[in-house]
């Protein structure tokens, strides 16, 4: 079974600063996907960024980028020029993709989340 | 597109009652899944489906049933509600395994 660990329960930074959220995972799979989701107080789960493990290039989405280190099983999220609207819970998630058994992926495995607070 | 919709938004049940949480998507997604979110626990997978007529268990399936008779709908049934099932329930869908998962707004369920 896979596990996802987010070691920072809460972080607080000033507006416009850069912040990095940590995520490590444990798996024996070689082909998988990694995600970061944002959950604001509205509780809606919003996809921030997605990374395919076979791609070495780190994914980026505007102010959001990841540092994917496959050998270290690390997948950190960097938020540049942080904004008040970035205040939310952030969840790291893992999904395996076993291509040799009909694609059974067993869904997303989530970390426990990091509560990010952007201070004005 | 309405995306992923869930009903109801809130529900209070008494122990032993049964109910169905509804989930629908209009994006023609094959993959759908149900999660529950408890304080401090993140989200955990209950059941998932890779297409109409195909379902499988996730990490915490006990006390829940699912079926997938159409591509659009994936209802979650609580057979006999227990206080331990008090949680927020999310439905999600994606066009393929590993693709971006789109979540519904969630249902907050309280079992007394």
């Amino acid at each position: 079974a896979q596990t996802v660990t987010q070691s920072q329960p809460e972080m607080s930074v000033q507006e416009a600063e850069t912040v990095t959220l940590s995520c490590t995972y444990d798996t024996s799979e070689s082909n998988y996907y990694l995600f970061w989701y944002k959950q604001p107080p509205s509780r809606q789960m919003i996809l921030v960024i997605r990374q395919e493990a076979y791609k070495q290039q780190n994914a980026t989405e505007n102010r959001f980028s990841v540092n994917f280190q496959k050998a270290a099983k690390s997948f950190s999220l960097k938020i540049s020029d942080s904004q008040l609207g970035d205040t939310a819970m952030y969840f790291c998630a893992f999904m395996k993709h076993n291509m040799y058994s009909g694609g059974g992926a067993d869904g997303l495995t989530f970390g426990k989340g990091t509560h990010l607070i952007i201070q004005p | 597109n309405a995306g992923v919709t869930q009903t109801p938004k809130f529900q209070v049940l008494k122990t032993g009652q049964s109910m169905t949480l509804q989930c629908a998507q209009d994006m023609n997604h094959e993959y759908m899944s149900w999660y529950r979110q408890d304080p401090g626990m993140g989200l955990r997978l209950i059941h998932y489906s890779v297409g109409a007529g195909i379902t499988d268990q996730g990490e915490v399936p006990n006390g829940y049933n699912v079926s997938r008779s159409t591509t659009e709908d994936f209802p979650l049934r609580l057979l006999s509600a227990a206080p331990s099932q008090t949680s927020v329930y999310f439905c999600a869908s994606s066009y393929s395994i590993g693709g971006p998962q789109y979540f519904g707004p969630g249902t907050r369920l309280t079992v007394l």
Side-chain angles (χ1 to χ4, degrees), chain B residues 45-47 56-65 76-77 85:
Chain B
L45 181 67
I46 305 171
H47 285 285
D56 206 346
Q57 297 180 352
E59 180 185 354
V60 288
N62 292 343
Y64 308 95
N65 272 0
L76 178 72
R77 296 183 191 84
Q85 293 178 305

Side-chain angles (χ1 to χ4, degrees), chain B residues 3 11 16 19 25 31 35 41 51 57 61 65 73 75 77 99-100 104 111:
Chain B
Q11 182 70 50
M19 78 159 296
Q25 52 89 11
Y31 185 88
Y35 296 85
M41 295 288 291
Q57 297 180 352
N65 272 0
D73 300 298
R77 296 183 191 84
V111 183

Side-chain angles (χ1 to χ4, degrees), chain A residues 66-77:
Chain A
V66 297
N67 184 3
F68 173 47
Q69 302 288 330
K70 190 173 184 180
K73 297 180 182 176
S74 172
F75 184 61
S76 61
L77 175 70

Side-chain angles (χ1 to χ4, degrees), chain A residues 51-103:
Chain A
Q51 175 81 42
E52 298 172 20
Y54 65 87
K55 290 186 177 179
Q56 293 187 354
Q57 185 173 4
N58 289 325
T60 62
E61 288 289 341
N62 300 314
R63 297 183 294 109
F64 298 88
S65 61
V66 297
N67 184 3
F68 173 47
Q69 302 288 330
K70 190 173 184 180
K73 297 180 182 176
S74 172
F75 184 61
S76 61
L77 175 70
K78 186 173 83 170
I79 305 174
S80 303
D81 186 27
S82 57
Q83 301 174 359
L84 297 178
D86 295 333
T87 293
M89 284 292 293
Y90 286 82
F91 292 97
C92 178
F94 171 103
M95 177 181 274
K96 67 180 183 181
H97 191 168
N98 186 338
M99 299 178 68
Y100 302 105
S101 62

Side-chain angles (χ1 to χ4, degrees), chain B residues 2-110:
Chain B
V4 180
T5 59
Q6 290 184 238
T7 55
K9 286 187 169 52
F10 301 92
Q11 182 70 50
V12 179
L13 292 178
K14 294 181 180 178
T15 298
Q17 287 184 316
S18 63
M19 78 159 296
T20 299
L21 305 184
Q22 301 292 343
C23 174
Q25 52 89 11
D26 61 358
M27 297 174 282
N28 202 32
H29 286 173
E30 291 293 331
Y31 185 88
M32 297 184 74
S33 51
W34 277 101
Y35 296 85
R36 60 177 288 173
Q37 183 177 26
D38 302 303
M41 295 288 291
L43 281 76
R44 292 181 292 168
L45 181 67
I46 305 171
H47 285 285
Y48 67 97
S49 169
V50 298
I54 307 170
T55 63
D56 206 346
Q57 297 180 352
E59 180 185 354
V60 288
N62 292 343
Y64 308 95
N65 272 0
V66 292
S67 60
R68 183 98 180 268
S69 56
T70 67
T71 299
E72 294 78 19
D73 300 298
F74 190 43
L76 178 72
R77 296 183 191 84
L78 280 69
L79 308 173
S80 177
S84 61
Q85 293 178 305
T86 293
S87 188
V88 179
Y89 291 84
F90 288 96
C91 178
S93 75
S94 67
Y95 63 84
S96 68
I97 294 168
Q101 302 257 342
Y102 297 91
F103 282 79
T107 294
R108 181 177 293 278
L109 175 68
T110 301

